[in-house]
Amino acid sequence: MLFAPWFAVDPEDPARIGPFRVTARLGAGGMGHVFLARSATGRWVAVKTIRPELAGDPAFRDRFAQEARAAARVNGMFTAPVLGSDPDGPVPWIATAYIAAPSLHLLTADAGPLRTDTVLWLTAGIAEALQSIHAAGVVHRDLKPANVLLDEQGPRVIDFGLVHALGGRAATAGTTAVGTPSFMAPEQVHGRPVTAKADVYALGQTALYLATGAAAPTGQLPAELPEPLRGIVADCLRPVPHKRPTPAALIRTLGDAVDLTAHRDTEGWLDPRGRALVRRFREALLPVPAPGAADGSMAAATKAASTAPPALTVSAPEPRAVRYAALRSFTHPATAAEVACAARHDTAAALARADRHHEARKAFRALHAQTTRDFGPWHPQTVFALLGHVHMTGAMGWCGAARDQVGTAADRAARALGRTDVRTLLLRGEHTYWTGHSGDPETAAHALELLTADCTGHYPLALAARTERALWLGVAGDPARAVRQLSHLVDECRRTLGDGSDVALYAMNAYAHWLGVSGDPQRAARLYGELLAWVVTGLPATDPYPGSVRTRWEHWRRVGVEAASEVLVGE
């Protein structure tokens, strides 16, 4: 199955951004969407656009202009060069060279913790990138594995300095500090002045993450962390900024600890699985605009080459509902105070269903503050209020912020409650959802595989997680594998939970969808017809789900008729 590290554009996406022609989506983050585009000379670029609510803030535009100019001065081998920006346009944007490479976050999630010598080598490359960034008068402020790509020549740091443009706005985790909590220096967390030494702290956390698969917000290093890496990380994580080493000093220490020239390129530093992931990104086909598409429709502009995976006409069913359906009985209120909070939760949820996301987000945030105060941080009502706030954050386009916020909460829940507590499982599931929607469906699928293994005591949730994993496998470009997994899941869900159970209905929905995508629209239409008959009789008229199923049934029925007609004409 061909691999593509990009997604088809939506109809409402721009055909052009500045001088660049948009060809695909790469993902979304705390500031806005990221598009894959081409310059007039055919150069591939990654263009980050700014969310409308930020673009409407004059102070933000001023900060963005300053940071973009400073970022353009950065010139180093281990950074992605800034090629242009427009802070004054209707939609502000900044463009950098596109690097066909996985992030270190994805690499670690896929291949597991890295060898110690590899971590030391990567840390040296990132330190050299920080030298270039700091020499231009820029402080990254959000250095983390997700902001470091790995191509054949080594690590490439991206998104440097742009977080500062957010000013006092929360980029992640709902805090007033800007950054990603697990990688933020103490002075950054507490709102004190931030210097280049904050990036050194983040580099220490990044090295720790690469070696162990987790950062250490408390500064307590795991006992198994070997020397000399342990001492290097400990120096970077010193709580007093001026006691942390400079990037130049780090490079000298790392050069003494490992031969940084031991291998010619990245391939020599990685195990087979890591090498395969880097190759997949390097060899992935890129979307080629059709001739004459520059001034044409968005569909024409994003038409891929005949060998590239086709864009999906109908999006995959939303997996999140499956997970929540499996745990619907978890939050039954028992006391008068819980009943009152449940009513407030229903009110916020109604705002969300009406697409009043900003109001719903404020309502969930206020409810979370109250339930935390009244019931504690891990009461079911508190967890569900947090999940509502996270989901509204993502629904407003801040997918990366939603992912990071709930990821932090899931880590804390695992420490407080255990990995297999139902509340932890629910938070982990929400994290996979926003990981997928941030443009990383493969990591989402891998995380759901781990989640399924921890759901042994919650059979409906395990089935829901397996269904969701199959969905993300399809989104990641492997619909045939999704079909194989879902065919077994549909039978198992219907046999164990019943034909009308929510999990069975969503598994059948997903199965029908990927059958159609895989080239069997007639069978997809038949299954959607069966599903429609069940949901129309089993759900209230006000429920939107039957309408969604009807739309899918009509779509695949039409596609099936067209396919049959083409066969007859061909004969």
Side-chain angles (χ1 to χ4, degrees), residues 17-93:
I17 300 174
F20 305 111
R21 187 192 312 177
V22 174
T23 62
R25 274 185 177 228
L26 291 174
M31 295 181 73
H33 292 102
V34 185
F35 295 98
L36 180 63
R38 297 193 82 174
S39 69
T41 58
R43 187 173 185 180
W44 289 101
V45 298
V47 185
K48 183 185 290 289
T49 59
I50 307 304
R51 300 195 311 263
E53 65 273 19
L54 292 176
D57 181 353
F60 169 82
R61 282 182 180 262
D62 289 342
R63 289 192 301 270
F64 178 69
Q66 295 169 13
E67 292 298 322
R69 286 194 296 269
R73 296 197 297 268
V74 175
N75 182 22
M77 177 179 177
F78 295 112
T79 60
V82 173
L83 305 178
S85 63
D86 183 6
D88 300 318
V91 178
W93 55 266

Side-chain angles (χ1 to χ4, degrees), residues 542-554:
T542 56
D543 195 301
Y545 187 57
S548 170
V549 173
R550 184 181 297 277
T551 298
R552 296 173 187 279
W553 170 62
E554 292 172 347

